[in-house]
Amino acid sequence: MMERLESWKLALERLRSAQSGDWAEAGRLVAEIARMSSDVTLRLAAEQALPVLRQAVDNDDHSVTLAARRRVGVVLDVVHDLTAPRFGRRNAMPKKLSSEDRARRMLGLPLAVQLTCEDINQAYRRAAKSTHPDHGGNAQAFIDLAAARDILIHPGAYKEA
């Protein structure tokens, strides 16, 4: 697929940089992209460009040719995005949060800050107002909230599950 994207990219760049556009050739190329692309975004961009390119073949009006040139540019931008190098680990699963980090998220506390017992209790009371069953909350959510507070107050008592 990458070879096909690279060949489409070169052809689109050649068509876009030409002084007088060969709109029939551009229409054939974009129709091929719309038909053969496995990427949804690229296929949609190509399908949206086709009517304008077909109109540019029949019409020599400056505004139509300008619109056709813009549509070729949009398709080219999508191809550039697909062929751009990706940095970092590809297809890596996100790092699993520790029980303390999950508890901090549940209480709405920052992950990398030293917390006091008072900070934890204030965050617990603030969150408990909306999750308490007497105030329209869910009983299980309230139990999970209390467990999160306990994990943060007594970190050594709870082991990773």
Side-chain angles (χ1 to χ4, degrees), residues 9-152:
K9 182 170 128 179
L10 289 173
L12 286 167
E13 286 174 346
R14 183 181 47 78
L15 286 167
R16 187 173 184 201
S17 64
Q19 285 291 72
S20 60
D22 183 4
W23 302 120
E25 175 62 27
R28 281 190 293 277
L29 178 64
V30 170
E32 177 186 333
I33 292 171
R35 189 176 58 251
M36 299 182 75
S37 176
S38 60
D39 185 69
V40 176
T41 308
L42 180 57
R43 198 168 47 245
L44 286 174
E47 288 171 357
Q48 290 175 357
L50 273 175
V52 176
L53 293 173
R54 288 182 181 139
Q55 187 179 6
V57 170
D58 299 332
N59 195 341
D60 226 8
D61 186 25
H62 177 69
S63 62
V64 174
T65 57
L66 187 63
R69 191 173 298 278
R70 269 193 248 124
R71 289 296 179 155
V72 168
V74 168
V75 175
L76 182 60
D77 287 344
V78 174
V79 171
H80 275 293
D81 286 344
L82 292 174
T83 58
R86 303 278 185 243
F87 299 101
R89 294 178 59 193
R90 295 181 190 155
N91 301 326
M93 295 298 293
K95 191 170 96 174
K96 192 171 182 181
L97 292 176
S98 68
S99 59
E100 183 179 331
D101 288 344
R102 283 193 304 272
R104 284 175 180 252
R105 282 236 172 112
M106 190 175 290
L107 292 172
L109 293 167
L111 295 179
V113 176
Q114 183 72 27
L115 299 172
T116 64
C117 229
E118 184 58 32
D119 295 334
I120 296 167
N121 283 324
Q122 281 180 351
Y124 169 75
R125 284 192 292 271
R126 189 173 40 248
K129 288 179 183 177
S130 62
T131 59
H132 196 281
D134 292 345
H135 296 286
N138 184 347
Q140 185 59 46
F142 184 71
I143 291 169
D144 293 342
L145 193 67
R149 179 195 58 189
D150 292 341
I151 287 171
L152 291 176

